[in-house]
Amino acid sequence: MVLKRRLEYGFSGYQIPVIPKAPRSVRRRGPRKKLVDDHQICAFELLAAVAGKLLQESESSASSNASEPKDLLGIHLDGIKQERVEENNKTVRSECLDQGSCVESAFIPELAVKEHNSNPSLGDLPNTENDSFSERTSTLLSSDFSKKVDCELKLGICNDKTEGNLNSKAEDDTYALGDLSNSKTGNESVRQSEDETKQGKDLTAANPCSVKNTVEKCTNRKPLINSDSSVQLSLYRDPLPSASFPKHRNDVNLGIRDDDDNSFRCSKFSTKFRAFRPQPRNGYRRIRKMLTSKYWKVAPKLRDYELSNNNEAMRPCFRNRKSIHVRDRCLREVPSKRRRLCDRSFVVAYDQETSSESISNAPEKGTKGDNCSSDAINKKGNAASTSVKVHQKSKDHKVKLSIKSFKIPELYIEIPETATVGSLKRTVMETVTAILGGGLRVGVVLQGKKVRDDNRTLQQAGILQSGNLDNLGFMLEPTLTQVPESPKDSPHKLHCETDQNLCRSPASPVLGSGLSNDAFDSPSKMEQLHESNHVAIHSPRTNTDTVTDGEVPDSRALVTLPAVSAEALAMVPVNQKPKRCESSQRRTRRPFSVAEVEALVEAVEILGTGRWRDVKMRAFDNADHRTYVDLKDKWKTLVHTASISPQQRRGEPVPQELLDRVLSAHAYWSQHQSKQTGKHHVEPLKIMDAQAD
DNA sequence: TTTAGGG
DNA sequence: CCCTAAA
């Protein structure tokens, strides 16, 4: 009976799958990563609302006339609403859902920020010599947008030729994002399926030069330069400084959540990060599935809605603007992370995917204005919060930036299985609105560090056209808001969850089915990262009352996020591993004494490596605190120690004599396949010593 | 539980 | 030391 189980293995008739006996490390790699990914839940990016808001603000501050924000809002929402209707019959592609991936992002129109000499950037578009231009611009923008939606193409191109086509094309989902920088390709349309490829190629191909040219071209015409950048709504961490522009383009967001400054004590994290960081381009093909969403409405670009307001023709473009972006990351990871939904609760995770945003700087030559309209970057103005006002003094240098998208931070929502879908939706909604509702502000991150001094000039801050704008990023930070639940009332949470949060995932706020500030209960950590970033996710309760079915009470949310958006999220079950809450305190360190080392060495000499249990029994049988694993580890370190120069050794010095024995024993046993289940164990090293020579 | 390795 | 995949 007892043998039954064993038999399966040992029985000759049974073919045991041959598992390549590769080093464990190798064998493990895969699974390991999977684990890592588990925590990296795909998320959906941005809330158009956020962008909208910025746009709005930007608008109001930029244009002198200053339309009432409200008006803008109204328009905006209107558009959205209509859009929704229009889109309603579109099929939503939900492959991603099927795969368990999640909608990770929704892109919003890009916000182009440009400083113009004496002209308010915005104001200057529509006017003067180019009425046609403004049209063109809008067209381009729109198209650009749609492109963006499709492939997150990073470059905005001003191409005369494309103008007409784009316009009509904008309606197509299969829209060509082809070679925009090539004036000849305006007509081509590429099937969406080709997008990735295309994109990759084009972008890749688009060497800096071409881009540059294009940009310059644009510049001359006074339009905007769209560069690559995205803004993230970041709650926890600074974005990873992005790499160089060309590389970034399509996947800036590698889900890196760490930041140079923040090292979590949990080693897992680093692992995680590492796992992600590299992933990039190569294998990183973006398989985006657009959920042509009827779910998402994105805030139109400022100019766009300006236009759409008086020009119906613009609508088409507008329409492509909303989409949900699914990153391949989801696709890649999800499969492996697929977990049975057996846990008691699952979590809806929005991955905050820190996007490393990059803002490329377009080489700017054409423009120069001496006049200083100082606000080089002026978006987001009003709000109570931060206003990033940057004054640029240099006459010749301008910093051109465009913000591409904002992302929503990662959110974890915990909700009982028994909850209804509806409530799930609501919960998500609430969570999101809680964040948005709290108000947002923009944070500027340069080289991974936040630039806090609002009064510094861009120059002073190091944001120079000539500098690495690649490393410039923006993020939306929730302004500090009320924390409904003071930490005090969640004592228990502080114990376990905090720990969990820290260890399990870099950022895993847990919205308890009801409450939710856990997310921030590890301020120590978080704050290090974003001091100013406290986010308060209102406890749903607080919010819920006001927020009911998908309604966003707070006008600050420019976009009504249909609760339904939750559907687009991947529900990734999070296995609640309470794990080491209180229990797993790291054992106290107990350095091996020389005597112990000696005993160990001797035992190993005789037994060989690979028989740690025996070693343990033989030499440490009564040392309860030394497990065979410990012994093994110690041996490992001994071998290492022995192989390094004495100067590099630390701790209580081990007699060289012992170390020598360690080395020889190690050499011997590694050569003699020590373990060998075999009968009489291989002769002890001692004997060997002689033989060896 | 042990081993074997990586973190 | 810890954590885990494998055995």
Side-chain angles (χ1 to χ4, degrees), chain A residues 204-244:
Chain A
T204 307
N207 54 40
C209 293
S210 60
V211 171
K212 184 174 181 176
N213 293 335
T214 305
V215 171
E216 286 178 350
K217 205 181 196 172
C218 292
T219 303
N220 295 334
R221 305 196 65 109
K222 295 184 144 188
L224 9 152
I225 288 164
N226 301 320
S227 53
D228 202 3
S229 75
S230 61
V231 176
Q232 77 182 100
L233 176 51
S234 124
L235 292 176
Y236 314 107
R237 223 151 303 226
D238 289 331
L240 184 78
S242 45
S244 58

Side-chain angles (χ1 to χ4, degrees), chain A residues 422-546:
Chain A
S423 66
L424 168 58
K425 292 175 182 178
R426 248 170 284 133
T427 302
V428 173
M429 186 67 221
E430 288 155 12
T431 304
V432 171
T433 54
I435 292 175
L436 297 178
L440 296 168
R441 57 185 212 176
V442 171
V444 175
V445 178
L446 183 60
Q447 318 261 28
K449 295 193 175 181
K450 292 183 70 173
V451 177
R452 299 168 199 289
D453 187 348
D454 291 350
N455 297 315
R456 270 194 291 178
T457 64
L458 292 184
Q459 278 187 313
Q460 295 173 327
I463 301 174
L464 308 174
Q465 187 61 32
S466 56
N468 331 332
L469 290 185
D470 305 357
N471 295 323
L472 174 60
F474 295 93
M475 60 187 144
L476 296 181
E477 307 171 317
T479 53
L480 225 186
T481 49
Q482 62 291 25
V483 178
E485 290 184 340
S486 41
K488 61 192 174 191
D489 44 23
S490 46
H492 62 288
K493 280 188 283 182
L494 291 179
H495 292 301
C496 298
E497 296 190 87
T498 294
D499 182 59
Q500 220 173 298
N501 284 338
L502 293 179
C503 294
R504 192 175 28 117
S505 152
S508 57
V510 173
L511 297 189
S513 24
L515 18 169
S516 60
N517 291 320
D518 304 7
F520 313 99
D521 40 44
S522 31
S524 50
K525 266 45 174 196
M526 296 318 183
E527 284 181 334
Q528 282 177 210
L529 309 178
H530 280 355
E531 301 112 63
S532 55
N533 231 359
H534 313 247
V535 176
I537 292 182
H538 312 241
S539 129
R541 277 180 299 200
T542 335
N543 251 16
T544 308
D545 302 330
T546 44

Side-chain angles (χ1 to χ4, degrees), chain A residues 31-61:
Chain A
R32 202 43 162 174
K33 210 172 277 176
K34 176 182 11 177
L35 202 182
V36 166
D37 293 346
D38 279 345
H39 299 310
Q40 300 290 348
I41 296 138
C42 293
F44 74 81
E45 288 172 37
L46 179 8
L47 291 200
V50 172
K53 180 174 183 178
L54 289 180
L55 288 169
Q56 185 182 324
E57 294 175 351
S58 151
E59 164 72 318
S60 55
S61 62

Side-chain angles (χ1 to χ4, degrees), chain A residues 88 140 267 308 376 436 514 529:
Chain A
N88 240 350
L140 291 172
S267 59
S308 60
L436 297 178
L529 309 178

Side-chain angles (χ1 to χ4, degrees), chain A residues 641 644-650 656:
Chain A
T641 301
I644 60 178
S645 68
Q647 297 76 41
Q648 303 178 65
R649 297 171 191 163
R650 293 180 301 175
Q656 185 60 45

